[in-house]
Amino acid sequence: MTRPRLLLVIGAVVAVLATVNVANKYGPPGTGLIAGPLVALGLVLFARRTGLTWHELGLSRRTLVPGLKYALGAVAAVAVVYAVGAAIPLTRPAFQDVRYHLHLSAALLTAFVVVPLGTVLLEEVAFRGVLMGLINRHRGAVWASITSSVLFGLWHILPSLQLNSANGAVGSVFGTGLAGQLLAVAGAVGFTALAGLLLCELRRRSGSLLAAAALHWATNGLGLLITAGLAAGLA
C-alpha cells in the first residue's frame, strides 16, 4: 500500500471514530451500546478488505490461548492494585467519582454490559486491532504503537471534559474552573496515550486482542464497581 493510500485509509478510520465519539457524547443514551459493536464489525470487515489477516488484527484462533493467559493475569493484577488503592486512605479519593455513584444493579449492568460492548469492544478493535495492524504492516511496530496510542489519547478528549468536576481527586489537583478543566483534559489525554502504549505492548506480546481487551475492561469495569461500592458504603 502506498503512503497516500495508507493515510487515506487511516483517515477514513479516524473519521468514523470521530463521528462515533461525538455521537456517544451528545447522542441519545445508549448510543455507544448500539454503535460500538456495529462500528467494530464494520471496521473489521473494512480492514479485511484492505488485506489485513486475522493475526494482524489480533483475532487469530492460534493466539487465543496465550491471549487468555495474559488476560487473566491482567485482570488479577488490576484487581489487586485497585483493592489496595481503595483500602489506603491516601489513594481512596481517586475512586470518588460522582459519575459512578450507581445502585448495585446499575453498576453490574454498566460493568458487565455497557463497558465491554459500548467501550472496550470498539476501542480495542479500532486502536489495537485495525489501526495498529494497518500501521504495523506498512510502517513497523514502533510507529504502530505510537500512532494508535496518540489517537487513543485524543479519543478521550470529549469523555474527560467533566473529569475535574466529577472526580474529587482530580478536582483537588487541577481545580474546578476552566483552567482546571483544560489541565484535567490534557492529563487524561496524556495518561490514556501512555495506557495505549501498555495495551499495544500487551497486544504485541500475546498476539491477541483478548489480552488488551481484558486489561482495558478491568481498568474501567473493576474501577466502576469499586467506586460504586465505596459510594454505597458511604451513603
Side-chain angles (χ1 to χ4, degrees):
M1 185 182 294
T2 63
R3 183 175 181 178
R5 178 169 169 76
L6 176 62
L7 292 175
L8 182 63
V9 170
I10 293 173
V13 174
V14 171
V16 170
L17 291 175
T19 302
V20 174
N21 204 352
V22 172
N24 286 346
K25 177 68 175 180
Y26 300 108
T31 296
L33 198 56
I34 297 173
L38 291 176
V39 174
L41 176 60
L43 289 176
V44 169
L45 295 176
F46 176 70
R48 291 285 290 164
R49 290 282 295 177
T50 67
L52 288 187
T53 66
W54 291 116
H55 181 70
E56 288 174 316
L57 286 168
L59 299 172
S60 173
R61 286 181 293 179
R62 71 175 184 269
T63 58
L64 181 61
V65 172
L68 182 60
K69 292 178 180 178
Y70 273 92
L72 293 174
V75 173
V78 172
V80 170
V81 171
Y82 276 179
V84 172
I88 299 175
L90 181 64
T91 53
R92 192 177 301 139
F95 296 95
Q96 295 172 359
D97 194 316
V98 297
R99 295 173 297 175
Y100 305 126
H101 288 187
L102 306 170
H103 294 295
L104 177 60
S105 59
L108 291 173
L109 178 66
T110 303
F112 292 105
V113 177
V114 176
V115 169
L117 294 181
T119 300
V120 174
L121 176 62
L122 174 59
E123 292 182 5
E124 291 308 316
V125 165
F127 295 102
R128 259 70 62 182
V130 176
L131 288 171
M132 187 175 174
L134 278 169
I135 301 169
N136 183 52
R137 167 179 273 204
H138 299 284
R139 293 294 180 268
V142 173
W143 275 110
S145 294
I146 292 174
T147 304
S148 65
S149 297
V150 169
L151 291 172
F152 184 59
L154 295 175
W155 165 268
H156 286 82
I157 291 177
L158 287 181
S160 62
L161 287 178
Q162 306 304 322
L163 183 60
N164 67 318
S165 59
N167 187 292
V170 174
S172 66
V173 172
F174 296 113
T176 56
L178 178 59
Q181 182 183 39
L182 294 175
L183 289 172
V185 169
V189 169
F191 178 80
T192 50
L194 290 175
L197 289 174
L198 175 61
L199 292 168
C200 285
E201 182 62 14
L202 191 59
R203 151 81 169 85
R204 187 188 69 80
R205 286 178 176 272
S206 67
S208 174
L209 211 56
L210 180 61
L215 177 59
H216 194 163
W217 173 82
T219 303
N220 290 11
L222 293 181
L224 184 150
L225 290 173
I226 291 177
T227 298
L230 289 174
L234 293 174

